[in-house]
Amino acid sequence: MSLADAPLSRAAPPRDRVQGARRLTFVLVALLIVVSLTSLSSGATGTALWPALKALATGQELSALDRVVLLDIRLPRLILGLLVGAALAVSGALMQGLFRNPLADPGIVGVSAGAGLGAILAIVLGSLLPVALQQALGSYLISIAAFVGGWISTILLYRVATHGGRTSVATMLLAGIALAALVGALSGILVYMADDTQLRDLTFWGLGSLAGATWTKVAAAAPIILLALVVAPSLARGLNGLALGEATAMHLGISVQSVKRIAILTVAGATGAAVAVSGGIGFVGIVVPHLLRLATGPDHRTLLPNAALLGATLLVAADMISRSIVAPAELPIGIVTAVLGAPVFLAILLKRRNTLGL
Amino acid sequence: MIGNDIRVTLGKAEILHGLDFQARPGQVTAIVGPNGSGKSTLIKALTGELAATGSMLLNNRPIDTLRPWELASTRAVQSQSTTVAFPFTVIEVVRLGHSAGPWAAEPGIPEAALARLGLDGYAGRYYHELSGGEQQRTQLARVLSQVWHPVFDGQPAWVFLDEPVSSLDIGHQFVVMDLLAGYARAGGGVITVMHDLNLTAIYADHVVLMKDGAVLARGTPSEVLTDATLSRAYDHPLRVNQPAPHGVPYILPQACRAAAGGAG
């Protein structure tokens, strides 16, 4: 048997995966719409979307309950879920591209650790703030503290890793481990100081939830996340080049340093905003880009938009599960994404080990 | 390509001690020398990968004034080894080069480049499943796709290569060197680090022999590849032979044994 006849690969990819990825985009848009409508229509109360729409179409007034449930509870929650899911998935894809590692997590730039510390500070020490400030910020104190904490730690890491105008992603990775350990210790002190109610808040924050979704949170997170989603596709060519290494990317005409800077800031913004409004929701940032790379290849020009769509869809679906599985109570969504994500992740890893380039 | 007083310092050690370098379009310029003599460092300095002092001109323009995309449309670079982070296919890797160069709008170049390098039928295979030699040829196809036509806008295009045949069998070594020589004959510039002195003797128009971060000798292969110069460069007695019909010098390790014996 000549070499040409030999089985080339266990799963030979099709000749043009970019076209396949573009077709997938249409499927994902359709899926997103279906899941979104289903999400609006399901919940603890009997309110359903179709009767409400029918009522509106025939000129009838919605009942006060239906109006509150649909417009003030489910809709902001749906939009927040879409934003957070898209933000986490795109951030994951960006970080994996930048670090050239399919297992890189959005938290790698220190944003999660910093945001976690911010949230813990707010929960445990928030009561030490002036009363007027506490009242003004109300329940948003945690979100604000998380976002600020995420930014500070990312900027810190970026500064440490940047020397002579060049950012070393390896230094950033290692300094990130040191920072995470430090933040973990500080958090530990605060947890030790916390009372029982605060401990419960801390635990639930860490598990993540969309339960506190309000229009205010949507309005706060949307501009940052949407900006990140608009900027991300402009990094696609740079990240494709970086897959061949920094030197080769430079020879391909890519401004490597600006790609790094923009990617890190985009991820810090998007992940910071997502974590601030929803807590720690894991696995979306790793599983979504992974699934898409297996389906249609690693080209970031299609990977990034598809990751936004699939991430949004998956998170809304996970949120539906989290609110229906123990209804009328709610399971933290981070538990759902971990329970769904971890086995899928492991299965992919074991099955396609040799095509992942690990 | 002209470089004057090129100095490269890594950490506290100065690797290149202010050397001058010239390469002409239409020629294959080979950089040779013992391990650690600074060949790769010189290529990296010339391509802007390493920070270097001194002046460097590419097509009469200072390199540090050219934007990354301007450089990318004038010259392509193959490093000694390139790892690919994600499961890209061969054709996808080659297209990354093609889309970065001035011929991105001209279809069929990546496929043609693969065919020229004997990689027909490899387009859909995963890069990371290829052998080392196949990967090296894929990278060369990427480089050639970026600057496919040796002349762009009336200016020569350049390829910079760091040991492009190091993983190849002897057949593919000739395929690649013929391709590079053809590129130079058509008006392009080829600057390549070479390990194999015999291939250098056959294909190079201009040889730069390095030792300890400086240029020991430069000129045509016949001028540079001599017993005395090579023995000094490699700290080992070497003997250059010349077959009568072609007059191309060659270095036969077996004969060097005799030279060593004679010297001792």
Side-chain angles (χ1 to χ4, degrees), chain A residues 3 8-18 96-97 100-102 166 237 240-241 243-245 247-248 250-255 293 297-300 352 354-357, chain B residues 47-50 67-69 71-72 75-77 79 82-89 91-93 95-97 99-100 111 121-126 128-129 134 139 142 146:
Chain A
L3 192 67
L8 298 182
S9 157
R10 237 177 264 182
R15 276 297 276 263
D16 196 342
R17 298 194 286 183
V18 173
Q96 287 143 24
R100 312 181 68 221
N101 186 333
R166 285 177 89 150
R237 209 179 78 81
N240 283 344
L244 303 180
T248 302
M250 192 197 96
H251 300 319
L252 290 172
I254 291 157
S255 310
R293 264 187 225 110
D299 190 321
H300 291 87
R352 305 290 287 274
N354 52 337
T355 61
L356 288 172
Chain B
T47 58
E49 189 178 327
L50 279 179
R67 311 281 306 159
W69 61 267
L71 271 175
R75 60 109 178 89
V77 183
S79 308
T82 305
T83 57
V84 176
F86 295 104
F88 280 96
T89 61
I91 192 77
E92 287 168 349
V93 169
R95 280 187 191 138
L96 287 177
S99 64
E111 291 79 5
Y122 280 66
R125 290 181 62 177
Y126 285 117
H128 64 263
E129 290 179 349
E134 290 163 347
Q139 291 297 340
R142 168 183 64 75
Q146 187 180 331

Side-chain angles (χ1 to χ4, degrees), chain A residues 142-156:
Chain A
I142 298 175
S143 299
I144 294 167
F147 187 73
V148 172
W151 262 101
I152 291 176
S153 61
T154 301
I155 300 295
L156 216 65

Side-chain angles (χ1 to χ4, degrees), chain B residues 243-261:
Chain B
H246 303 296
V248 176
Y250 69 91
I251 297 94
L252 194 66
Q254 288 87 333
C256 299
R257 270 275 178 77

Side-chain angles (χ1 to χ4, degrees), chain B residues 224-236:
Chain B
V224 174
L225 305 179
T226 63
D227 289 356
T229 315
L230 286 183
S231 300
R232 194 143 70 87
Y234 290 89
D235 287 326
H236 191 278

Side-chain angles (χ1 to χ4, degrees), chain A:
Chain A
M1 191 161 73
S2 80
L3 192 67
D5 299 328
L8 298 182
S9 157
R10 237 177 264 182
R15 276 297 276 263
D16 196 342
R17 298 194 286 183
V18 173
Q19 291 210 326
R22 299 227 159 98
R23 276 196 294 275
L24 183 66
T25 305
F26 289 105
V27 177
L28 290 174
V29 169
L31 200 63
L32 180 83
I33 294 169
V34 170
V35 170
S36 298
L37 292 178
T38 315
S39 164
L40 276 181
S41 204
S42 64
T45 68
T47 307
L49 185 63
W50 296 125
L53 284 179
K54 212 183 283 174
L56 276 179
T58 54
Q60 292 171 337
E61 283 281 304
L62 282 180
S63 74
L65 175 68
D66 282 356
R67 181 185 294 272
V68 168
V69 166
L70 280 178
L71 296 183
D72 291 339
I73 297 179
R74 288 190 197 157
L75 195 56
R77 185 168 182 149
L78 167 68
I79 293 173
L80 203 65
L82 294 173
L83 288 171
V84 168
L88 293 176
V90 168
S91 297
L94 289 177
M95 283 302 96
Q96 287 143 24
L98 187 63
F99 285 87
R100 312 181 68 221
N101 186 333
L103 293 175
D105 179 85
I108 212 163
V109 293
V111 60
S112 305
L117 182 62
I120 293 172
L121 274 170
I123 291 169
V124 178
L125 301 179
S127 56
L128 300 179
L129 288 173
V131 179
L133 193 61
Q134 279 186 53
Q135 276 169 351
L137 295 175
S139 61
Y140 301 112
L141 177 63
I142 298 175
S143 299
I144 294 167
F147 187 73
V148 172
W151 262 101
I152 291 176
S153 61
T154 301
I155 300 295
L156 216 65
L157 271 187
Y158 182 74
R159 283 282 169 80
V160 167
T162 305
H163 182 71
R166 285 177 89 150
T167 306
S168 157
V169 289
T171 308
M172 191 145 183
L173 191 70
L174 296 172
I177 294 172
L179 184 81
L182 188 66
V183 165
L186 290 175
S187 306
I189 296 173
L190 292 168
V191 168
Y192 181 75
M193 290 162 56
D195 62 31
D196 284 355
T197 330
Q198 290 170 341
L199 276 180
R200 197 181 142 75
D201 284 351
L202 284 177
T203 311
F204 276 92
W205 191 87
L207 293 172
S209 174
L210 294 172
T214 59
W215 284 114
T216 316
K217 279 193 182 174
V218 170
I224 301 167
I225 291 177
L226 289 177
L227 180 66
L229 294 180
V230 169
V231 169
S234 70
L235 297 167
R237 209 179 78 81
L239 293 176
N240 283 344
L242 273 178
L244 303 180
E246 286 188 23
T248 302
M250 192 197 96
H251 300 319
L252 290 172
I254 291 157
S255 310
V256 174
Q257 183 58 24
S258 90
V259 169
K260 282 186 204 167
R261 189 171 53 235
I262 296 171
I264 289 166
L265 294 182
T266 302
V267 169
T271 309
V275 172
V277 294
S278 67
I281 298 176
F283 279 101
V284 178
I286 289 183
V287 167
V288 168
H290 247 311
L291 288 173
L292 290 171
R293 264 187 225 110
L294 288 173
T296 53
D299 190 321
H300 291 87
R301 288 172 302 172
T302 52
L303 180 67
L304 293 170
N306 284 351
L309 291 168
L310 185 59
T313 308
L314 267 188
L315 201 71
V316 170
D319 186 47
M320 274 200 294
I321 295 173
S322 82
R323 16 195 200 107
S324 55
I325 202 164
V326 289
E330 277 191 21
L331 208 58
I333 191 172
I335 297 178
V336 179
T337 56
V339 165
L340 292 177
V344 170
F345 181 68
L346 202 60
I348 299 163
L349 206 61
L350 293 178
K351 193 166 164 223
R352 305 290 287 274
R353 216 179 331 216
N354 52 337
T355 61
L356 288 172
L358 291 176

Side-chain angles (χ1 to χ4, degrees), chain B:
Chain B
M1 173 88 220
I2 300 174
N4 281 323
D5 194 28
I6 302 169
R7 283 172 199 277
V8 173
T9 309
L10 293 176
K12 282 185 180 160
E14 190 175 86
I15 309 293
L16 297 183
H17 312 298
L19 61 80
D20 298 335
F21 178 88
Q22 282 177 24
R24 286 187 180 77
Q27 289 192 343
V28 173
T29 302
I31 303 168
V32 297
N35 299 142
S37 59
K39 307 187 291 290
S40 293
T41 307
L42 176 59
I43 275 270
K44 285 177 182 166
L46 294 173
T47 58
E49 189 178 327
L50 279 179
T53 61
S55 69
M56 277 175 274
L57 301 174
L58 186 63
N59 294 345
N60 297 319
R61 296 180 64 186
I63 279 186
D64 46 13
T65 64
L66 294 170
R67 311 281 306 159
W69 61 267
E70 285 179 303
L71 271 175
S73 62
T74 313
R75 60 109 178 89
V77 183
Q78 181 175 16
S79 308
Q80 217 169 75
S81 68
T82 305
T83 57
V84 176
F86 295 104
F88 280 96
T89 61
V90 168
I91 192 77
E92 287 168 349
V93 169
V94 178
R95 280 187 191 138
L96 287 177
H98 181 226
S99 64
W103 314 105
E106 187 179 327
I109 288 177
E111 291 79 5
L114 285 176
R116 292 288 292 277
L117 286 156
L119 292 169
D120 284 306
Y122 280 66
R125 290 181 62 177
Y126 285 117
Y127 176 84
H128 64 263
E129 290 179 349
L130 302 182
S131 74
E134 290 163 347
Q135 290 187 345
Q136 197 167 35
R137 281 184 284 144
T138 302
Q139 291 297 340
L140 187 60
R142 168 183 64 75
V143 165
L144 290 174
S145 293
Q146 187 180 331
V147 287
W148 183 246
H149 298 292
V151 178
F152 168 55
D153 258 1
Q155 295 280 336
W158 296 80
V159 289
F160 291 78
L161 310 146
D162 196 347
E163 297 199 21
V165 298
S166 58
S167 303
L168 303 184
D169 60 62
I170 191 164
H172 284 115
Q173 287 183 348
F174 280 110
V175 168
V176 165
M177 293 312 297
D178 281 336
L179 203 54
L180 295 176
Y183 193 84
R185 265 200 307 278
V190 176
I191 301 175
T192 176
V193 171
M194 293 294 290
H195 212 68
D196 189 317
L197 294 174
N198 287 310
L199 285 175
T200 304
I202 299 169
Y203 285 100
D205 301 298
H206 184 74
V207 180
V208 175
L209 175 62
M210 293 188 62
K211 180 166 169 89
D212 298 332
V215 175
L216 187 68
R218 67 181 95 217
T220 63
S222 314
E223 289 164 1
V224 174
L225 305 179
T226 63
D227 289 356
T229 315
L230 286 183
S231 300
R232 194 143 70 87
Y234 290 89
D235 287 326
H236 191 278
L238 296 172
R239 180 173 292 172
V240 180
N241 303 277
Q242 257 176 22
H246 303 296
V248 176
Y250 69 91
I251 297 94
L252 194 66
Q254 288 87 333
C256 299
R257 270 275 178 77

